[in-house]
Every structure is written in C-alpha cells, then in structure tokens.
Amino acid sequence: MAESRKTGLCNILNPDMNRRRFLLISGTLAAGASVRNLVKPAPVSALVTGQNPPDATEVDAGVQVIMSACQNCHSRCGIMARVKDGVLLKIDGNPYHPNNFDPDERPPYSTSVDVAKKRPGRLCAKGQAGVQVVYDPYRIKQPLKRVGPRGSGQWKAITWEQAFQEIAAKLKPLRDLNTLIDPAAPELGPVANQVLYSAGRTIEGGFTDRVWGNGFGTINKREDHTSICETSHHVANELMTWDEKANRGRKNHFKPDIVEAKYIMLFGSSFLEANFPMVATARKLMDFRAKGGKYVVVDPRFSNTAALAHRWVPVKPGGDAALALGMARWMLENKKYDAKYLANANQAAAKASGEPTWTDATRLVVVDPSHADARRYLRADAIGGKKENYVAWSGGGPKEIADAALVGDMEPGEVTVAGRRCKTVFQLLKERVFSRSLAQYAADCGLSVDLIVTLAGEFAAAGKQAVTNAYRGAVQHTNGVYNQLSINILNTLTGNYDWRGGNGGGGGGYPEGSGVTPLGTVPGGVSAKGIKLNRTVKQYEKDGPNLFKRDGGYPAKRPWFPYATHGNYQEVIPSAADGYPYPIKALITYWNAWPYSTPGLRKTFEDYVKDEKKLELFVAISLNMGEVAAFADYVLPDTTYLEKWAFPGMTPTILTKATPLQQPVVGKLDGKDIGTAPFNPDAPNVYTPVLPNTKTVGDIHIGLAKTLGLPGVGEKAFQDGSPLNTYWDFYKKGLQNLSKNTGKPIGEIVAKGGVFEDPGNEYDGKYLKYKYGNVIKIYIEQLATTKDSMTGQYFDGLPQYDPPKFADNTAIATVDEKDFPFQLITYKMVWHAQARTASIPWLMIIQPENFVEINASDARRLGIRDGDAVRLVSATSPGGVVGKARATEGVRPGVIAVSHHFGHWELAAKPHVVDGVAQGADPSRGTGIQVNPIMRLDQFKGKVLNTSIQDKVGGSVSFYDSRVKLVKA
Amino acid sequence: MAQRGWLIDLGRCIGCHSCTVACKAEQNTAPANSPLLFKGGSPQRPLHLSYRWVIVQEGGTYPGVWRTFVTSACNHCQTPACLNSCPVNAISKRAADGIVLIDQEKCIGCKYCVWACPYGAPQWNETTQKVEKCTLCVERVDKGLQPACATTCVGKALTYVPDFNPAQAGQNAPEGFSDPALTKPSARFVKK
C-alpha cells in the first residue's frame, strides 16, 4: 500500500499530468476504488486540434449538464457544468440564473434544459477555472492527524471513524451547559462557550448553527469572515434601516438599479473587479454605459473599473466621508435636494407624494445635554401621544408622527417641547455638514474644491437616477461606518430608494427554510447563552456588568462591539490569546485562512495556536493544507463547492426573485456517476465525492455530531420526526420547502439549478417591483445613545468625517506619518478571489506574481525602479515584507498598493509530510507577497495591542490605514 | 460562401480575461495543468499557448491616466497571411464558412505562419514542435453553438458573427491593429 501510494504521488507530481489523469490517480489512491472509464472524448477532427483535443460540447452524446452555483468567489453565480462519464469537462454559466444573463438574453423558466443549454450563460474566469479546484492534485485526500508539534508539517493518515471518536472524546467534557465559565461573571455563560466554531467562508451557516448552536450549545457558533470583508457597510445600512421593535436592521445591502440609472458614484466598489456579483455588475455597467450613463470611480488606485469610468477620483484613502459630505454641503447650500421627499414624516405622507420610502429628517431630537432624554428622538408620550411614536414640528407646534399623513417642518430652528430643547434631524445634519468648509473637506479627502463641486453638480442633476454605492474600499477603515453613513446621505438627499434607476434592495429569494419542514427547528435543541468571545452585539457596561465592575469601568480591557451585527473575525484569536473575556479550549475551523487574510494577525495566531496549554484542541475542516490547517491537530478534508449542496442566496444587484441551488456536479450518487442516471429525489442519494475519502462539510458535521450524540442529527432530527443522517437529508427538506413555496417540482428545480422568476418582472412602472418601502434614517439614535467601551463616551449619531484612528481615538497619521510616509492599501484582481485562487494554474498564468505598486513620481524621488526589491515596514512590523516594485501613474502619490491573493506560505506552496512521505507541492502558489501580516497593530495610549486597527462601531478590520515606509532590500 | 467572424465592442471590454480562460478551458491548450516555472528564484510563465488573450495598454500621467483592453485572437482572415506562408499546405480556409485551420499532421513546425500573421494568432507548441491556433471552436459552431469565448464574454464586448460581411473587415480597428488591407481580417470593431 505504501508503495502504491508513493507511485501515485510521483505521478501527481508529474507536471504533464492533466486533470483526467489526476482523476485516474486519485481513484487508484483510494483503496478498493475501481478504475473508471476515462477515455477522452474523441476529437471532432484530427485536422484542427492542437496538442490536446477540445472538450466534448454540451450537445454531444453522453454529455450531461448539471446546473449549480459557483463559489470560486462570493458572487455565487449560476453555473452549468458539462460532465461526461463522471468527468467534469467545462464550467459555463447557468442560462436561467439572473447573475449570468439579463432579460435581453435570459430564457423564461419554462424553457427546457435541452433548449436553454445551447446558449450557456456568461461566466467569469474564476468560475470557469473551478475545474482546476476539483482536479487540484494537492488537495488533502484523507483525514490527517498531527504527529509532530503544531505547525511542524508532520501528519499521519487516519480513518474518519478514528477522527470523529478522538475529536468527540475531547469535545464531550466541554459540552457543559450548566457550569459557568466564571461564577463571578455569570454573563459570560457556560463552559460550552469555550468551544468556538469559525467558518471563514460559509453559505451553510443555517446548517452548521444546528450543530454548534442548537446542538453543542456554544454562543461562539459561527465566527465568520465578514469583518475582514465589508462588515461596516452592512452595519451602517442596518443602522440606517433599524427596526426598534425587532432590534435589528431591516436591510444590510442596497445596490443601484445599474441599467436604468443615469449617474453612479462608486466609492471603493469595483463593479468590474472585486465587487459582486461581478458577472452581473460588469455586464449591467457596460449596458448602462452604452445607454449614455456616466459613472465615477472613487478609489486611490486606477482600477479597471476606473479605466472605463467617466471620471477617476483618486481620493485619499479613508477620506471618502469628507468627499461625500463636501458634496452634501454643496447640495444643501444650493438647494439641490428633494425637500418634498425629506419633509414626509411617515408612510402615509410618502405614499401621497408617490414616494416608496420616507426619512427621519423631520423628527425632533432632544439636544439638551443635561436632559435624561438627551441624544434621543423625542417620543410622543411627552406630548400626550404614544411612547413608541416620534414627534415632528408641523404647523407651528409639535405633532405626533402616527398613522395619518404628516408633513413636517424641516428647519423650525431650536424648539422647546415639554421642557426639552429639540432640533429636527435635518437641522442637525445641516449643522454637522456645515461644520466644515468645502476647503476643509477638500483637504480631508485630498481632492480639489472644484472637483467636489463638479461631482455634486453632476450627481444632483441626475435626480433620483443618481446613486452612490460604497463597498469594501470605503468601509474597511477605522471610520468605516461613518464613511458609509456619509455616502448614503447623498442617496437620502435625492430620495432615490426604490425608484427605477435608483437604489434598491433587490428581488431576494423564495423561502426554502420552511413550508413543509422548518429547517431551523431542532427537537431537543438548546439555545446558547452568554457573551461571544469577540464581544459583538453586546454593550460593555450594560451586558457585562461584573466585568465592568471588576475592571474598573472604562476603558474595557479590549473593545466591545455593540453594533457589529456581522461578527468580528479579527478579534477572535487575539481575544483567545488574552483570555478576555474568557479563554477558549477548542477551536474548529472551516474554509478559514485567518493568518493569511487578516491584517496583523499572523504572529498572534501562530504564537497562540502553538501553545497546547492554552488551546487544547484544534480541528481544521479544509480542502487543502492552508495557513490555518497547517497548525491543526486534525485536518478533516471537505469537498469543493462543486461537490456539495447549499442554497447560496442572491445579491441586491438582481431585481427579480431567485433561489439558486448548489449541488454536486461530479462524484457519485448511490454509486453512479452524476449525470449518468436521471436524478431521483426519492433515492437515498448517498454522495461519494471525487476524492472518495473526503466528505462534504455537512457530512463531516453530521458524523461528528452523531458521535457526540448531539440533538439535531441522526434519528428524529427534524420536527416531523424524520432523520438527518446525510447532507442530502437536509437539502431534500429544503427542496421540499422550496417546491411547496414555488409550486415547482423538485426535479425541475434540480435540473435548472434553482427557482428563478422570469425576466420582465424587474419594475413596477417608475419604481422597482421589489421595494424596501420603509424608513431611511439620517440620525442613528442607537449610536448616539451607546458608549464606546474604550473611552466611555457616546458614539456620534450623525454622518461625519472622522480621520483613521487608533482605539484611543488618536489619529493614526499624527503618530505614524513622520516615520512611515506612505499609506498602504490592498486590492483584489478580477480573475482572483480572496485567499483561494492561487492554486489555480489557469489564473496564475495570467499574472504569475504581484507587485509593490508605487506612484511613478514617488519612485523617482526614492530612486526605485521597476523590479527593484523593496521592503515594506510598518511601526509594528519592523521586519516587514519584501516585494518587487512597480512604478505606475495609476496610484495616488503617497499611497502604496499591493494586490491580495499572492504570497501564500502554505496552500501546498511547500510540501507537508503524511506517513513519512512528502506530499506534492507547487511553489508557484507562494509567489509574490501578502502584506496583511505587516499591517499596523492597534494601540491604546501608546501601548501596542495584539489586534489590527479596526472600526469600533461596525467591527471592520482596517485594510487601508496602515502607514509604511519603503526601504530598498 | 459565408464567413464567420468577430464583432468587438471596444467600449465594453473590461479586461477580465474570461475569454482567455474560456478558451483555455474549452480547448485544453497547453499546459492543461502545470505549475509555473522558477528560474533564478523568480516565477516564470510556463511555455503556454493561448488562442485568445487580452491586450492591455496604458499611459498618461497621474491623474490623467488611461488603460484600454482589447480581446484578440485569430481573425480568420479572408486572405490569410499564414495560409500563404505555409510551405506544406497545412493551413486551409474552409470553403463553407471561411474558418482557417492548421492541419497538425501536415504541419512541419517551420513557424513561417507565426512570422507571417500580423495578429500573433499562430502559437508555437514547444512540446509537439508544431503550430496551433484558434479554431473558432469549429467543433462547437458546426453544431450551432457559439465559440467558448463569445459565449462567456462578461461585458458583452465580444460577439461571434456567423455571417460576417467581408466589406467590414477591420472596420473601426483600434490603434495598433495591423492594416486590414493586408489580410482582410474577419473582425470589426465598435469604437469606444
């Protein structure tokens, strides 16, 4: 066996091996697996092919198409996988999926697959390269157990049964739902919270919550990646749409109706590159452009999106709010806003004036700082109305904002109501915006007054068909939420929400979570209690009273994040390392690249996980030997996204309804190659992945949870008493729900890769068909009445320009600027995604390495030429990192830009050893540099902390505020 | 005689390389699955063939910078220079649709076509010691399907034209595109 394994590995290392050979070899590697028929489809003509024949087409005999959803980035576009004899040949777009086609090309849902497949949908380079994700020769092929110290790269192969037994034996004593972690601080919750599950990327959170939340009972059930993505964007939108009764935001994501808009302003949001779904945003933006639409790109780097824009606005990184508020100032001064829209105090008034949404502009806010209601909206009980209602000034006096249409006075000046001094939200906004001059705003954002005025004029001229959109570039700053709130103000001043060509929340999906069987109901399940390790959605003083008392009040030992509704990924490991608010004992990760993807984390991560006294158990569910898996005790190899089920969801760029399905496109169901037999939803559908000794993430969870004896899996796992023994059991329920809710048979949903509303349902006259239809807030009462755990001061409730700051609110520039003259930014390439695509040769061939990109004038001044080795050094990373310089005119002076994706130190860039045999590796996966590890650590009153600089409101880590210097290496 | 060809909208090419990868994935051009190579510690592109690629050009001075993208491949010319240069008649132009093909059995690897083509379409394969190029996905278009690159083009910049009008050869060609009068390429452009 050892001999044949070695032979197999030698073959895998042969660079001439193509993907079909890989399949053959991996089949041989699996003990007992039979060698399948891998005869390459015969070329159509010997005359025309090159070295290798082309793939069989989607209409050739024996070829089947399987519709599924991509996950080679987070766009989750529809895919049409071409398979023959169990081999994945080619991936195209799913023609039914609205990410892949607009109404001009998309077929109605009733179109048969045999017809629709002849015109595959559009799909990007990443999506098509998914073939090389499945057939990656360096995937992990069986469960591994560490044999050396953590991180030593020494492993032995074990069975799944052994893995589940050993891991369960260590987790079992930690599933203690009664003993408190700290009797002196009961708010922290029980010992079960000391087990933490962190998925970097997940679209199966609903499923894994069943295991870790309802089953195991840990409050740390899904610590996902969003805070290293764009979480402050989500948080700001939620605060803007906050529902007081439900205590959560109504909407976390708006997008322009791109095709029908006239003017789009993109702040750190690359519609032709990293923004998602790029296949849809790019196609729509080009349609918009062809119709005469103009778009502006606000970005310190000249991106491809900027290259096709009407204007490139090279903003100073982090100055986005200053630009937006400067524009708002001009619009307010010149009365270029929709005063009629803003005066509507409630839905009835909005409806009467043809507006789907309304704002809080006319609500009164108590401005008397000594009053108990200070900083709060005035409630109507003060004037004899209902406590839950707000108050506007209208007709010379206060009026309760109830159900009857009410138009408020926007600028009544300071008024006194029931002994409280009040101003309208609009008045407060105006005072805030006017607190800085256009010249000051221009200096803050590093642009000219003329440019700000020009942009404001162009934006205002397009009325409700002018839309701003911000994403990662504008919000992954310490001032992220305030940048997003400020950029949103421009949309609010024109009132473009829900208008055709305006700003919308998308069509959403058809529900699959209930209908026949509620997927979220877990018989015998528990409800986790306590404070998350990263202290998200909790207030220090209010929710941690014993800690507050123990630690002497403000400042907290580490920041708390009361409105970080999408978690805080960068805080998890540093908090565990500090044991604040409590230590954890076991860590389970899935699709996680923490130290690679997270600014300033690598050293803290490696130091912490190496210490077995602190962290008793570390399990990584991972496709490959990535930067996290390399330090685990156990690596449980899961399948690729082309070999699992999920309901991947949609984004608001899509105006119609859709619920796509992700399903295995290769591997075997009940022993038969997928595509060789018609799909039968009533069969057991036991799935065997391409590498037969790997499992779907769901089957891994089910196996482990059953070994632990947790509720929610095994027999009687669902409310109707049915079992959950395979991942299919779960998705069968979801499909039954979806089928009931849409009236489409399961067979049709599976064949077409989901349920998609027909094209032609995008609009309702001059409005979007699917509306947000609710209040848009300018003033964020939640922030104005919540204290910053590090200063004890209230957060600001209004949009503002706040320079990038440390946790103690000192400006980063004032500390670092002198010695570290450059601001470091990163970006993502259109043909790469996050941390995972460096393993794909088709993509790496396009550009084999990345560069330290520096403005040409800066390079000349420093005597740096293209290709020079340069060291980037920050105040908290004296060793820095060395890369190759590239001088360009396409970066703002004073800024250094380095792309993400490159510079892996694991991910099979180097070999690891299994059972004494060095596994294959490919050093090309480690080319170029990754600058995240050198990014600036936060500090408090001069003391350096162990987390990167971050947004204390939204929870975003900063990718763009680190100061660096450049030294010739 | 019909002529197959391309329509390229220069204002819609976004430089995403979806066409490049579509071609590579459909045609399995070499290397099908290979690591990059290292020479002197630096990564190098391996010897690889692309029947389609994106030409990226940039210029200007900050902040007045520009960058353009043009997708490019064999233009299946009406008077192909490659065909005329081939000493062994390995290159043919199909009578029915004007698709230009290289017969791998006849090709002797002299590379004359590589030098003759004004568009860089013929690709030298070090392994087979022969020349390959874009076939316009002949195995697909013969079945009524579109070439892989046009199928997938994200910006809707590249369109497959089953009945290309020979009189429009090279119409609106971007700067740097070889004189259409030389070979009468079956490609026309929409200005940016």
Side-chain angles (χ1 to χ4, degrees):
Chain A
M1 184 58 213
E3 185 58 37
S4 70
R5 180 177 292 151
K6 200 175 166 193
T7 314
L9 286 161
C10 287
N11 286 338
I12 279 180
L13 283 165
N14 177 353
D16 292 333
M17 184 195 70
N18 68 24
R19 62 195 198 235
R20 281 102 190 161
R21 281 286 297 161
F22 163 69
L23 195 72
L24 179 63
I25 292 159
S26 22
T28 314
L29 270 176
S34 62
V35 176
R36 59 180 86 199
N37 177 11
L38 284 162
V39 178
K40 177 100 187 176
V44 287
S45 162
L47 284 177
V48 305
T49 58
Q51 182 183 356
N52 302 311
D55 290 326
T57 77
E58 49 272 38
V59 297
D60 288 2
V63 173
Q64 293 294 321
V65 297
I66 311 291
M67 304 295 184
S68 185
C70 187
Q71 245 189 307
N72 222 4
C73 84
H74 194 52
S75 297
R76 298 156 287 166
C77 296
I79 56 173
M80 178 175 105
R82 215 185 293 168
V83 295
K84 188 178 185 193
D85 302 328
V87 176
L88 171 60
L89 300 176
K90 174 78 171 59
I91 301 174
D92 295 297
N94 177 352
Y96 299 101
H97 195 300
N99 277 17
N100 306 79
F101 271 151
D102 274 315
D104 59 338
E105 298 182 302
R106 185 158 71 93
Y109 192 70
S110 58
T111 311
S112 76
V113 172
D114 276 344
V115 170
K117 74 180 182 186
K118 291 179 183 165
R119 178 58 182 98
R122 300 176 184 277
L123 191 67
C124 80
K126 303 181 286 288
Q128 298 181 76
V131 174
Q132 294 191 323
V133 177
V134 174
Y135 300 125
D136 171 0
Y138 310 123
R139 283 175 58 185
I140 298 172
K141 297 168 190 71
Q142 66 283 306
L144 300 177
K145 181 181 181 181
R146 173 171 66 84
V147 289
R150 281 189 187 147
S152 62
Q154 301 286 324
W155 306 87
K156 67 173 177 181
I158 59 171
T159 64
W160 281 99
E161 198 192 341
Q162 184 186 347
F164 289 151
Q165 290 292 345
E166 291 183 10
I167 295 166
K170 289 178 180 169
L171 287 177
K172 191 116 194 173
L174 297 172
R175 191 180 181 257
D176 181 342
L177 303 166
N178 300 313
T179 310
L180 292 172
I181 296 172
D182 180 356
E187 62 262 39
L188 297 176
V191 166
N193 289 349
Q194 292 179 289
V195 173
L196 185 142
Y197 174 69
S198 174
R201 170 64 63 195
T202 180
I203 55 170
E204 34 277 301
F207 175 81
T208 56
D209 281 0
R210 162 178 285 266
V211 172
W212 298 110
N214 304 115
F216 197 89
T218 173
I219 192 83
N220 296 301
K221 64 183 179 182
R222 196 208 297 188
E223 305 315 306
D224 76 21
H225 80 287
T226 316
S227 76
I228 63 162
C229 181
E230 47 66 60
T231 200
S232 293
H233 152 268
H234 278 352
V235 170
N237 285 333
E238 287 177 1
L239 290 168
M240 185 179 81
T241 61
W242 200 261
D243 179 342
E244 282 78 12
K245 281 185 193 135
N247 200 34
R248 60 182 167 83
R250 294 183 174 94
K251 206 86 203 167
N252 63 37
H253 198 170
F254 290 90
K255 272 281 186 283
D257 168 14
I258 301 171
V259 176
E260 293 286 310
K262 291 192 177 126
Y263 193 86
I264 298 175
M265 221 170 146
L266 301 173
F267 289 79
S269 177
S270 294
F271 278 13
L272 305 187
E273 290 141 294
N275 204 249
F276 71 96
M278 184 284 286
V279 171
T281 56
R283 184 183 65 243
K284 288 170 190 288
L285 197 64
M286 291 304 99
D287 282 347
F288 157 91
R289 205 171 169 276
K291 287 172 65 180
K294 293 198 161 124
Y295 75 93
V296 173
V297 169
V298 181
D299 190 328
R301 189 183 70 91
F302 188 68
S303 60
N304 290 358
T305 312
L308 282 151
H310 165 59
R311 290 181 192 282
W312 172 42
V313 178
V315 70
K316 190 167 142 187
D320 306 76
L323 169 58
L325 296 178
M327 290 171 63
R329 179 175 174 130
W330 184 88
M331 287 167 72
L332 288 166
E333 269 176 334
N334 293 280
K335 302 260 187 282
K336 300 285 188 190
Y337 54 90
D338 190 338
K340 203 176 161 200
Y341 167 73
L342 293 170
N344 294 324
N346 57 7
Q347 186 168 24
K351 208 174 167 186
S353 65
E355 290 287 353
T357 67
W358 62 98
T359 74
D360 65 348
T362 60
R363 286 188 199 171
L364 293 172
V365 174
V366 179
V367 295
D368 185 349
S370 61
H371 197 279
D373 289 341
R375 295 173 303 277
R376 287 164 53 82
Y377 289 127
L378 179 65
R379 299 307 204 271
D381 56 346
I383 57 167
K386 286 186 184 163
K387 194 175 165 35
E388 68 266 27
N389 282 344
Y390 304 101
V391 180
W393 192 266
S394 183
K399 291 276 183 321
E400 177 178 7
I401 305 176
D403 292 341
L406 180 68
V407 173
D409 186 347
M410 303 226 300
E411 298 179 78
E414 189 177 293
V415 294
T416 301
V417 182
R420 300 156 173 87
R421 289 195 285 120
C422 299
K423 287 181 182 173
T424 63
V425 168
F426 186 78
Q427 182 76 40
L428 291 173
L429 173 70
K430 217 168 158 180
E431 287 172 12
R432 166 57 53 83
V433 168
F434 281 73
S435 67
R436 289 182 86 69
S437 68
L438 277 181
Q440 283 173 316
Y441 283 128
D444 292 339
C445 64
L447 301 167
S448 71
V449 170
D450 282 354
L451 182 57
I452 294 175
V453 168
T454 301
L455 291 169
E458 289 177 354
F459 184 84
K464 291 186 191 293
Q465 277 70 49
V467 189
T468 64
N469 187 258
Y471 219 71
R472 179 182 166 87
V475 305
Q476 289 303 113
H477 291 278
T478 66
N479 54 7
V481 160
Y482 290 105
N483 285 343
Q484 180 75 42
L485 289 172
S486 303
I487 293 161
N488 287 350
I489 280 296
L490 298 172
N491 293 323
T492 306
L493 287 178
T494 56
N496 61 17
Y497 303 93
D498 294 341
W499 282 80
R500 186 174 183 140
N503 207 16
Y510 305 100
E512 82 285 344
S514 60
V516 180
T517 312
L519 297 181
T521 306
V522 178
V526 297
S527 135
K529 290 183 191 72
I531 288 170
K532 278 177 177 268
L533 180 67
N534 58 17
R535 307 160 312 281
T536 50
V537 296
K538 295 286 181 193
Q539 297 189 27
Y540 176 42
E541 188 173 346
K542 194 171 123 222
D543 300 316
N546 296 293
L547 297 184
F548 185 83
K549 209 170 139 191
R550 180 192 74 189
D551 297 338
Y554 298 101
K557 286 196 166 173
R558 303 184 66 87
W560 292 49
F561 304 89
Y563 290 101
T565 43
H566 296 260
N568 185 323
Y569 192 62
Q570 69 276 7
E571 267 290 322
V572 172
I573 292 295
S575 300
D578 271 8
Y580 182 86
Y582 48 85
I584 59 162
K585 293 186 174 162
L587 176 62
I588 294 93
T589 62
Y590 161 53
W591 205 341
N592 184 316
W594 250 326
Y596 175 83
S597 302
T598 313
L601 186 62
R602 182 178 179 184
K603 186 173 185 307
T604 305
F605 173 86
E606 292 181 359
D607 288 350
Y608 170 68
V609 299
K610 273 181 191 164
D611 187 344
E612 291 180 48
K613 286 197 194 76
K614 277 189 168 170
L615 183 63
E616 294 168 14
L617 175 68
F618 183 6
V619 179
I621 299 169
S622 186
L623 204 58
N624 37 42
M625 191 56 74
E627 282 80 8
V628 166
F631 284 88
D633 302 328
Y634 296 89
V635 182
L636 305 181
D638 66 320
T639 58
T640 65
Y641 66 88
L642 295 158
E643 307 163 273
K644 68 179 174 83
W645 284 278
F647 289 109
M650 293 296 293
T651 66
T653 299
I654 303 304
L655 303 177
T656 47
K657 275 200 187 300
T659 299
L661 172 71
Q662 184 179 69
Q663 60 182 323
V665 304
V666 273
K668 295 179 186 212
L669 286 176
D670 296 333
K672 284 188 188 136
D673 283 326
I674 287 176
T676 58
F679 181 78
N680 174 11
D682 298 319
N685 287 319
V686 173
Y687 179 58
T688 311
V690 168
L691 291 174
N693 219 356
T694 60
K695 286 181 187 292
T696 66
V697 61
D699 284 319
I700 292 172
H701 274 85
I702 292 166
L704 185 56
K706 282 174 77 170
T707 312
L708 274 162
L710 300 181
V713 295
E715 298 310 308
K716 297 185 176 150
F718 292 103
Q719 199 181 39
D720 62 5
S722 55
L724 173 50
N725 289 314
T726 68
Y727 208 20
W728 166 248
D729 287 343
F730 188 78
Y731 283 95
K732 183 178 180 179
K733 297 277 179 201
L735 281 166
Q736 285 168 344
N737 290 337
L738 185 59
S739 177
K740 169 121 193 276
N741 295 333
T742 59
K744 306 291 180 198
I746 290 180
E748 185 176 15
I749 298 172
V750 168
K752 294 176 178 175
V755 182
F756 305 100
E757 186 179 20
D758 279 343
N761 287 290
E762 293 77 16
Y763 302 106
D764 162 21
K766 55 187 180 177
Y767 309 108
L768 299 173
K769 177 176 169 186
Y770 296 101
K771 299 176 186 68
Y772 164 64
N774 215 306
V775 66
I776 297 286
K777 294 177 187 181
I778 295 166
Y779 183 73
I780 312 299
E781 187 186 54
Q782 280 67 33
L783 290 183
T785 55
T786 301
K787 283 181 182 170
D788 176 343
S789 62
M790 300 307 281
T791 63
Q793 303 296 309
Y794 288 105
F795 289 115
D796 200 303
L798 285 165
Q800 62 170 336
Y801 168 68
D802 188 33
K805 285 173 175 170
F806 294 119
D808 60 6
N809 287 358
T810 50
I812 295 167
T814 59
V815 178
D816 281 7
E817 201 166 40
K818 191 167 147 281
D819 295 331
F820 303 93
F822 290 96
Q823 195 161 346
L824 177 63
I825 63 167
T826 60
Y827 68 95
K828 293 176 182 167
M829 295 168 154
V830 58
W831 59 86
H832 277 296
Q834 287 90 30
R836 58 186 179 271
T837 46
S839 64
I840 302 175
W842 284 336
L843 303 180
M844 291 299 277
I845 277 173
I846 297 171
Q847 182 181 315
E849 60 187 323
N850 64 342
F851 302 95
V852 174
E853 296 167 45
I854 176 171
N855 182 279
S857 61
D858 287 334
R860 275 193 300 275
R861 187 167 44 79
L862 297 173
I864 290 168
R865 285 171 307 176
D866 276 1
D868 281 356
V870 288
R871 186 181 301 276
L872 285 175
V873 174
S874 75
T876 54
S877 179
V881 62
V882 176
K884 276 186 196 167
R886 180 175 174 258
T888 170
E889 299 289 342
V891 174
R892 183 185 166 88
V895 172
I896 302 278
V898 182
S899 82
H900 195 50
H901 320 298
F902 292 84
H904 279 277
W905 52 90
E906 292 286 351
L907 200 75
K910 68 177 190 205
H912 61 274
V913 174
V914 178
D915 295 336
V917 180
Q919 305 295 290
D922 174 357
S924 74
R925 297 174 184 202
T927 61
I929 62 167
Q930 171 56 275
V931 294
N932 284 337
I934 71 142
M935 284 191 182
R936 184 64 157 88
L937 294 175
D938 207 346
Q939 64 182 48
F940 192 85
K941 298 195 189 297
K943 184 181 170 247
V944 174
L945 311 174
N946 65 356
T947 313
S948 182
I949 40 181
Q950 55 186 331
D951 179 356
K952 287 185 285 183
V953 180
S956 285
V957 75
S958 166
F959 278 90
Y960 313 113
D961 301 312
S962 290
R963 310 285 316 184
V964 292
K965 66 180 171 187
L966 212 60
V967 200
K968 273 202 194 179
Chain B
M1 182 190 101
Q3 173 69 53
R4 315 273 190 236
W6 309 112
L7 171 64
I8 297 162
D9 188 334
L10 297 169
R12 301 188 67 124
C13 182
I14 61 169
C16 68
H17 289 275
S18 300
C19 54
T20 312
V21 174
C23 177
K24 219 154 178 51
E26 187 77 41
Q27 296 294 328
N28 297 304
T29 50
N33 191 352
S34 160
L36 302 178
L37 305 172
F38 281 80
K39 281 181 189 159
S42 285
Q44 311 280 329
R45 283 193 178 89
L47 287 167
H48 76 287
L49 286 76
S50 273
Y51 297 170
R52 182 168 281 286
W53 58 92
V54 178
I55 298 169
V56 183
Q57 292 181 293
E58 55 188 12
T61 306
Y62 176 89
V65 200
W66 57 265
R67 184 183 301 149
T68 60
F69 311 102
V70 186
T71 177
S72 187
C74 173
N75 292 311
H76 300 275
C77 303
Q78 290 155 58
T79 54
C82 59
L83 188 151
N84 294 334
S85 75
C86 181
V88 293
N89 292 326
I91 302 181
S92 60
K93 186 169 173 67
R94 297 210 307 190
D97 54 20
I99 295 176
V100 177
L101 299 169
I102 303 177
D103 185 333
Q104 293 293 294
E105 283 163 20
K106 289 186 185 166
C107 175
I108 56 168
C110 69
K111 300 195 215 176
Y112 288 2
C113 58
V114 175
W115 298 324
C117 174
Y119 303 110
Q123 305 272 302
W124 171 244
N125 186 324
E126 188 76 36
T127 307
T128 62
Q129 297 282 303
K130 290 170 192 283
V131 177
E132 306 170 14
K133 69 163 195 68
C134 161
T135 64
L136 215 141
C137 285
V138 64
E139 75 287 352
R140 294 179 60 78
V141 299
D142 281 353
K143 290 164 191 154
L145 303 168
Q146 296 190 31
C149 54
T151 296
T152 212
C153 178
V154 167
K156 297 201 291 197
L158 175 63
T159 308
Y160 162 63
V161 184
D163 50 349
F164 188 84
N165 178 356
Q168 294 177 323
Q171 195 181 65
N172 297 324
E175 204 182 313
F177 190 81
S178 293
D179 185 352
L182 295 171
T183 61
K184 299 195 179 68
S186 303
R188 69 183 184 92
F189 298 85
V190 176
K191 280 185 189 166
K192 201 173 173 179

